[in-house]
Amino acid sequence: MSPLFRFVFLCSLPFLFLACGEDVNPNYPEEVAAPEFYHRAVKQLTDVIVHDIFSPPVAARIYSYSNIAGYEALAAGDPSMPSLAGQIPHLSPVPAPPAGVEISHPIAALAAQLKTGKSMIFSEEKMEVFEDTLFQEIAAIGVPEDVMAASLAYGRQVADHIIEWYGGDNYKQTRTFPKYSISNDVSKWQPTPPDYMDGIEPSWMKIRTFALDSASQFRPLPPTPYSESKDSKWYQEVMEVYEAMRTTDTTELAERINIAKFWDCNPYVSHHIGHVMFATKKITPGGHWINITAIAARQAKADLATTTRAYATVSMALHDGFISCWDEKYRSRLLRPETFINRHIDEEWRPLLQTPPFPEHTSGHSVISRASATVLTHIFGDNFAFTDDSEVEFDLPARDFPSFLAASEEAALSRLYGGIHYRPAIDYGMVQGEAVGKHLLERIQLGSTTISKK
């Protein structure tokens, strides 16, 4: 390779995948670019998270650190992308690219994201097979071997830095903390059918945040006071849940069922038929919003900088949102509708959706959906209409939304239709999530790019 050609080639590496047609890869459509490789890497991580059955808060943690790693590896070669170091007080700068060595930062970003994600899941071999295939495909485009090797090495060096950093977030310590203790207080949460599982992550509020000053920074309003009186506000809120699926309007009923199932996002639903028990696995609520991020970035034809920025910011909103929500859940420790209704109204009643194994107030879907929608609106704009096909692979039809905020409102309301949340948990959770999202945007700046909606 002549010195002149090598210089031109290497200078174009950050934009290598932005070319189109057969000059890149005849197997890809014209719009496929470096972002598409990154989308595929994130989707692979989602698939493994589903396979390994991580809980929603833990999944959000995995998305966060892996996408921060990808962003930081790319930002190291792009002065327009501010590093998160310093903006997140406990993150020190990632290693600088080695002097005199030619690096493709898009490739490094993939290597960083994949290695960090692989370090946080169980099925490492699934990530390794994907990684080998992806990098062989990229190498086949014509990347010089020395550039490929150096880029992979640098990306993995960034990953090592992020892996060491996340080791101090208190996650390992919480693995040894006590389980949730069931109370004799009739207003407090107790395990629910069919599996009566222990409360998930009762110490999650002790996990280190990214932008929040503390887990309780945006403490929501408390739930309505518990009461067994039929004249109480509490009882009215219970009856709203009880009656949600008892409407005689068949069209309205069908729509409520569709909404509830579309946003279910329960990573592990058990089914009991006689003596046989089996389970189905799906994406987590955070995984759903990560996929919406991919939908928006593809639709906007976002460049790699914007794509990694969107993933990193949404992931951090999910992470801080779950910490904020779980802080309230295990403070109020409110019982679920299923428990109260079975005790006092209808012992045969079952919610449309399987009740998740943790306290009721506030709604996790409401918090993290609003936080994610707030971030995505900031990045891609108001009234960004899109078709959400996140659940198609789980045999549910796609749904259309006029904006991210509208999608978050439906996601929140779905929990009432599903029979697993009272109205205050939904409404207060939305306020809580918006506060988390706005605070993140105020505290952390990842630069901006022009988005073309097509």
Side-chain angles (χ1 to χ4, degrees), residues 22-154:
E22 295 186 358
D23 290 338
V24 174
N25 188 325
N27 297 321
Y28 288 99
E30 181 176 312
E31 68 271 15
V32 169
E36 191 58 31
F37 289 106
Y38 200 88
H39 289 313
R40 288 167 56 191
V42 174
K43 181 59 168 64
Q44 174 66 18
L45 184 59
T46 292
D47 290 345
V48 174
I49 287 172
V50 171
H51 179 273
D52 289 350
I53 319 178
F54 287 104
S55 69
V58 175
R61 177 177 179 267
I62 296 170
Y63 285 125
S64 293
Y65 287 108
S66 60
N67 283 316
I68 287 172
Y71 175 88
E72 287 292 307
L74 188 66
D78 186 344
S80 71
M81 298 174 66
S83 171
L84 284 163
Q87 298 193 71
I88 299 175
H90 40 80
L91 173 61
S92 61
V94 300
V101 177
E102 295 142 345
I103 300 291
S104 166
H105 285 274
I107 295 174
L110 284 166
Q113 187 270 348
L114 286 166
K115 183 174 182 179
T116 304
K118 184 173 65 175
S119 74
M120 303 178 80
I121 48 85
F122 302 136
S123 301
E124 295 182 10
E125 71 285 353
K126 291 183 178 295
M127 295 296 289
E128 290 169 354
V129 170
F130 172 84
E131 186 175 12
D132 290 345
T133 301
L134 185 71
F135 289 131
Q136 288 174 14
E137 185 177 335
I138 293 173
I141 294 173
V143 181
E145 289 185 9
D146 58 338
V147 174
M148 191 75 182
S151 302
L152 294 177
Y154 176 65

Side-chain angles (χ1 to χ4, degrees), residues 234-270:
W234 165 269
Y235 210 92
Q236 293 172 5
E237 291 168 356
V238 172
M239 290 304 295
E240 182 182 20
V241 180
Y242 182 65
E243 298 289 348
M245 286 295 133
R246 296 165 67 88
T247 177
T248 57
D249 185 330
T250 55
T251 301
E252 175 64 20
L253 178 61
E255 178 65 353
R256 290 183 181 186
I257 292 173
N258 288 339
I259 289 172
K261 290 185 175 180
F262 184 79
W263 293 102
D264 183 17
C265 302
N266 190 335
Y268 181 88
V269 177
S270 61

Side-chain angles (χ1 to χ4, degrees), residues 1-13 102:
M1 181 181 292
S2 71
L4 177 59
F5 179 81
R6 187 177 182 82
F7 174 78
V8 172
F9 179 84
L10 293 172
C11 287
S12 67
L13 273 175
E102 295 142 345

Side-chain angles (χ1 to χ4, degrees), residues 111-345:
Q113 187 270 348
L114 286 166
K115 183 174 182 179
T116 304
K118 184 173 65 175
S119 74
M120 303 178 80
I121 48 85
F122 302 136
S123 301
E124 295 182 10
E125 71 285 353
K126 291 183 178 295
M127 295 296 289
E128 290 169 354
V129 170
F130 172 84
E131 186 175 12
D132 290 345
T133 301
L134 185 71
F135 289 131
Q136 288 174 14
E137 185 177 335
I138 293 173
I141 294 173
V143 181
E145 289 185 9
D146 58 338
V147 174
M148 191 75 182
S151 302
L152 294 177
Y154 176 65
R156 289 162 182 165
Q157 185 181 12
V158 171
D160 289 339
H161 183 86
I162 300 299
I163 291 168
E164 181 179 4
W165 170 49
Y166 77 58
D169 72 353
N170 212 34
Y171 176 77
K172 291 180 181 178
Q173 290 82 345
T174 60
R175 303 307 88 190
T176 65
F177 290 175
K179 295 181 179 180
Y180 173 83
S181 297
I182 299 175
S183 170
N184 291 326
D185 185 336
V186 295
S187 71
K188 301 306 180 185
W189 181 82
Q190 293 191 3
T192 51
D195 298 318
Y196 299 93
M197 295 174 61
D198 290 331
I200 287 178
E201 301 295 347
S203 301
W204 198 253
M205 73 293 296
K206 297 178 182 178
I207 300 293
R208 185 179 61 192
T209 62
F210 293 124
L212 294 178
D213 297 330
S214 70
S216 60
Q217 182 174 357
F218 296 112
R219 182 172 176 172
L221 292 172
T224 300
Y226 175 91
S227 173
E228 295 175 14
S229 170
K230 293 184 179 181
D231 296 328
S232 65
K233 183 179 180 183
W234 165 269
Y235 210 92
Q236 293 172 5
E237 291 168 356
V238 172
M239 290 304 295
E240 182 182 20
V241 180
Y242 182 65
E243 298 289 348
M245 286 295 133
R246 296 165 67 88
T247 177
T248 57
D249 185 330
T250 55
T251 301
E252 175 64 20
L253 178 61
E255 178 65 353
R256 290 183 181 186
I257 292 173
N258 288 339
I259 289 172
K261 290 185 175 180
F262 184 79
W263 293 102
D264 183 17
C265 302
N266 190 335
Y268 181 88
V269 177
S270 61
H271 307 269
H272 297 257
I273 302 176
H275 297 290
V276 177
M277 192 278 281
F278 64 96
T280 54
K281 298 186 287 187
K282 296 178 63 178
I283 54 174
T284 63
H288 193 139
W289 280 96
I290 287 292
N291 199 66
I292 289 175
T293 303
I295 291 169
R298 284 180 168 126
Q299 182 175 318
K301 301 191 185 301
D303 61 14
L304 185 57
T306 302
T307 297
T308 57
R309 171 186 173 227
Y311 277 125
T313 312
V314 169
S315 297
M316 288 186 287
L318 292 170
H319 182 267
D320 278 7
F322 275 116
I323 292 174
S324 178
C325 181
W326 254 240
D327 177 64
E328 176 58 35
K329 280 186 179 295
Y330 285 97
R331 177 175 30 252
S332 55
R333 297 183 294 138
L334 189 64
L335 81 168
R336 290 279 184 168
E338 184 170 14
T339 303
F340 186 89
I341 291 171
N342 288 166
R343 285 175 181 170
H344 302 287
I345 299 173

